[in-house]
């Protein structure tokens, strides 16, 4: 029994190493297949009413909650020429469409795929990596800010050659740029590209290695006569009637790395990803909180744009403990929405706001694979921001979050 469990654990670990959302359950021809997962959880925050990237903000007078984090139902079908994927997310907040796309390919090969519809942006590793297989409860703050809900509408070409170059994946997509929203608020389209490499059987089949690079080339339409650009220690205001209907650059570049080594202590996995570039956001106000002011827009922003030079990254380390059901987790991520300004300068009459504050998060916890379908996760996030001159942000916010999650996958 222990040997069977060990094989199942290893299979799940290897499968998770490269599980992608932009595909059906299998490319083998099949009629309707139904898969999915349910994540139900309890959370306790350090203080009531905090803004959080661990499942969303807490209610004004609440610091603990039960919630359905994700309730995914995926339906797909495939024949020798094509496949279709349709996925919804049902939680206490209602039902939302997550994926709806068609893929076309040659009958004798899946090396070249054409995808059209609503799908994950092909940027980096964690965006496409399924939340049903990820050990860590959430994606890093930087990716939740720049690409909320991960998806967009458009078309994509994917090239995964057969034969000796099977380790290569190249993807290029043209998308609306407004994210999960069905409405594109300008006439421009954004381009996303990814080049990835994956080697599964190195060092006597004990080592798995993956790495790659990505780019995002897009824009955000200006609806006002003014916009702000960084001047090194704050923002400079640019005003002209010509700025109405002007498109501000939204450019990202990224790199990622994944390592997994099977050893006498179990399986050690290390994953890292970096992203930097220029993000058009807005100023933080009473109605738009600091983190939300630097997020990407699903509707036309009707206030002045702020062009922020940003950077962020995450480091994920997991250790499966010997041949047991347990995996220890350790994570660290950083998101600096304005790397040109120091935290001590924010709020110093230089047009900076709470949207420019840097946050870093230390996460740690453990998962238990109860069986091949059920997983229990216990995880704590310690979130830190440096003091600024802004009221409400002169000290580190009390916004840590503790999570206990139970997941069932079928």
């Amino acid at each position: 029994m222990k040997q069977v469990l060990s094989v199942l654990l290893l299979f799940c670990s290897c499968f998770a190493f490269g599980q992608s959302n932009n595909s059906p359950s299998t490319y083998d021809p099949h009629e309707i297949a139904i898969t999915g997962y349910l994540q139900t959880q309890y959370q306790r925050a350090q203080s009531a009413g905090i803004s959080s990237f661990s499942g969303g903000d807490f209610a004004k007078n609440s610091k603990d909650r039960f919630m359905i984090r994700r309730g995914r139902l995926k339906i797909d079908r495939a024949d020798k020429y094509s496949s279709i994927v349709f996925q919804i997310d049902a939680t206490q907040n209602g039902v939302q469409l997550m994926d709806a796309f068609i893929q076309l390919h040659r009958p004798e090969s899946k090396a070249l795929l054409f995808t059209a519809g609503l799908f994950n942006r092909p940027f980096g590793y964690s965006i496409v990596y399924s939340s049903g297989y990820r050990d860590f409860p959430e994606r890093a703050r930087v990716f939740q800010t720049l690409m909320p809900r991960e998806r967009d509408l458009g078309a994509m070409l994917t090239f995964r050659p057969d034969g000796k170059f099977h380790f290569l994946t190249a993807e290029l997509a043209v998308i609306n740029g407004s994210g999960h929203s069905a409405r594109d608020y300008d006439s421009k389209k954004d381009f996303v590209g990814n080049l990835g490499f994956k080697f599964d059987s190195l060092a006597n089949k004990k080592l798995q290695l993956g790495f790659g690079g990505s780019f995002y080339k897009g824009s955000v339409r200006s609806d006002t006569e003014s916009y702000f650009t960084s001047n090194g220690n704050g923002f400079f205001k640019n005003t002209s009637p010509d700025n109405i209907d002007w498109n501000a650059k939204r450019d990202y570049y990224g790199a990622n790395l994944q390592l997994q080594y099977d050893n006498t202590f179990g399986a050690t996995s290390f994953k890292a990803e970096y992203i930097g570039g220029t993000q058009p956001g807005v100023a933080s106000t009473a109605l738009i909180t600091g983190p939300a002011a630097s997020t990407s827009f699903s509707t036309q922003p009707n206030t002045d744009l702020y062009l922020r030079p940003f950077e962020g990254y995450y480091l994920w380390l997991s250790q499966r403990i010997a041949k047991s059901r347990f995996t220890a987790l350790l994570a660290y991520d950083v998101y600096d929405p304005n790397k040109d300004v120091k935290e001590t300068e924010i709020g110093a009459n230089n047009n900076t706001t709470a949207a420019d504050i840097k946050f870093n998060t230390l996460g740690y916890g453990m998962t238990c694979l109860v069986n091949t379908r059920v997983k229990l996760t216990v995880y704590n996030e310690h979130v830190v921001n440096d003091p600024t001159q802004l009221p409400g942000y002169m000290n580190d916010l009390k916004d840590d979050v503790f999570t206990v999650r139970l997941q069932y996958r079928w």
Side-chain angles (χ1 to χ4, degrees):
M1 181 63 185
K2 289 183 178 180
Q3 290 179 338
V4 173
L5 179 61
S6 299
V7 171
L8 289 173
L9 286 167
L10 180 60
F11 171 77
C12 290
S13 176
C14 293
F15 191 56
F17 190 76
Q19 177 67 17
S20 171
N21 275 333
N22 287 338
S23 60
S25 56
T26 175
Y27 281 107
D28 294 333
H30 63 274
E31 292 302 320
I32 297 297
I34 301 177
T35 57
Y37 57 94
L38 177 65
Q39 295 174 346
T40 180
Q41 64 189 33
Y42 168 79
Q43 291 184 306
R44 185 171 181 84
Q46 196 174 7
S47 55
I50 64 168
S51 296
S52 176
F53 283 79
S54 297
D57 298 344
F58 282 72
K60 180 180 179 181
N61 299 308
S62 174
K63 65 178 180 180
D64 70 337
R65 63 190 179 189
F66 287 100
M67 66 182 298
I68 303 299
R69 179 61 184 97
R70 296 176 178 90
R72 302 291 171 82
L73 184 65
K74 182 177 180 179
I75 302 172
D76 63 78
R77 183 187 183 279
D79 57 39
K80 63 180 182 179
Y81 300 100
S82 61
S83 58
I84 183 171
V85 173
F86 184 85
Q87 182 175 205
I88 60 173
D89 185 34
T91 71
Q92 68 281 343
N93 298 319
V95 179
Q96 287 191 335
L97 180 65
M98 292 302 296
D99 295 297
F101 59 84
I102 299 169
Q103 284 188 336
L104 305 177
H105 54 79
R106 298 171 61 190
E108 66 273 14
S109 173
K110 313 299 186 298
L112 186 63
L113 295 169
F114 174 76
T115 305
L118 177 65
F119 51 83
N120 278 269
R121 303 173 180 94
F123 188 99
Y125 177 78
S126 67
I127 288 293
V128 182
Y129 186 32
S130 172
S131 297
Y133 291 90
R134 186 182 60 245
D135 282 328
F136 297 87
E138 304 297 339
R139 293 175 176 87
R141 175 186 290 255
V142 60
F143 287 101
Q144 291 192 57
T145 304
L146 300 175
M147 302 182 190
R149 298 196 70 84
E150 300 86 50
R151 277 85 173 166
D152 212 318
L153 282 153
M156 175 174 64
L157 283 176
T158 303
F159 180 55
R160 297 191 186 105
D162 301 320
K164 61 181 181 179
F165 294 108
H166 65 281
F167 55 82
L168 171 67
T169 298
E171 298 165 297
L172 180 63
V174 54
I175 57 177
N176 281 342
S178 51
H180 195 262
S181 169
R183 298 185 65 182
D184 186 7
Y185 54 80
D186 60 24
S187 60
K188 303 290 185 179
K189 295 294 176 283
D190 295 356
F191 294 88
V192 191
N194 179 61
L195 184 63
F197 302 85
K198 181 184 174 185
F199 302 91
D200 291 328
S201 302
L202 303 175
N204 294 321
K205 299 184 179 181
K206 292 185 177 181
L207 176 66
Q208 298 180 57
L209 168 65
F211 58 92
S214 305
F215 74 88
Y216 188 108
K217 188 74 173 177
S219 63
V220 173
R221 179 184 175 274
S222 172
D223 202 38
T224 66
E225 293 186 354
S226 299
Y227 69 93
F228 292 80
T229 53
S230 175
N231 61 6
N233 62 353
F235 288 99
F236 173 78
K237 187 175 184 179
N238 304 269
T239 302
S240 170
D242 295 335
N243 291 333
I244 297 177
D245 206 29
W246 170 75
N247 283 79
K249 288 184 178 180
R250 179 188 178 191
D251 294 346
Y252 313 154
Y253 54 88
N256 61 85
L257 171 70
Q258 304 86 46
L259 290 168
Q260 180 173 300
Y261 183 67
D262 300 325
N263 51 69
T264 56
F265 301 104
T268 304
S269 175
F270 175 75
K271 300 174 182 179
E273 192 162 1
Y274 172 88
I275 181 172
T278 301
Q279 170 71 350
V282 297
S284 179
T285 66
L287 298 178
I288 305 175
T289 62
S294 61
T295 195
S296 298
F297 303 103
S298 59
T299 58
Q300 171 67 62
N302 55 11
T303 60
D304 295 342
L305 295 178
Y306 281 64
L307 276 60
R308 296 185 173 96
F310 75 90
E311 64 180 357
Y313 63 88
Y314 68 81
L315 306 172
W316 288 347
L317 179 64
S318 61
Q319 175 66 52
R320 182 161 59 89
I321 302 173
K323 296 181 180 180
S324 73
R325 306 180 184 203
F326 297 94
T327 298
L329 308 175
L330 181 64
Y332 183 72
D333 74 71
V334 172
Y335 176 46
D336 188 352
N338 187 353
K339 63 181 183 178
D340 282 357
V341 65
K342 298 178 181 178
E343 263 55 40
T344 54
E345 298 173 332
I346 296 177
N349 297 317
N350 53 7
N351 293 315
T352 54
T353 69
D356 300 291
I357 298 175
K358 176 182 177 180
F359 285 84
N360 60 75
T361 304
L362 175 66
Y364 49 90
M366 184 168 289
T367 68
C368 175
L369 193 64
V370 180
N371 56 44
T372 56
R373 297 189 182 277
V374 180
K375 181 171 70 174
L376 175 67
T377 302
V378 179
Y379 196 76
N380 189 67
E381 289 181 305
H382 177 53
V383 186
V384 176
N385 61 279
D386 291 334
T388 72
Q389 298 185 43
L390 289 171
Y393 295 91
M394 293 181 176
N395 297 295
D396 180 34
L397 301 176
K398 305 300 181 183
D399 52 355
D400 297 358
V401 178
F402 174 74
T403 301
V404 180
R405 173 182 294 176
L406 190 64
Q407 173 182 290
Y408 186 96
R409 181 168 53 84
W410 67 91

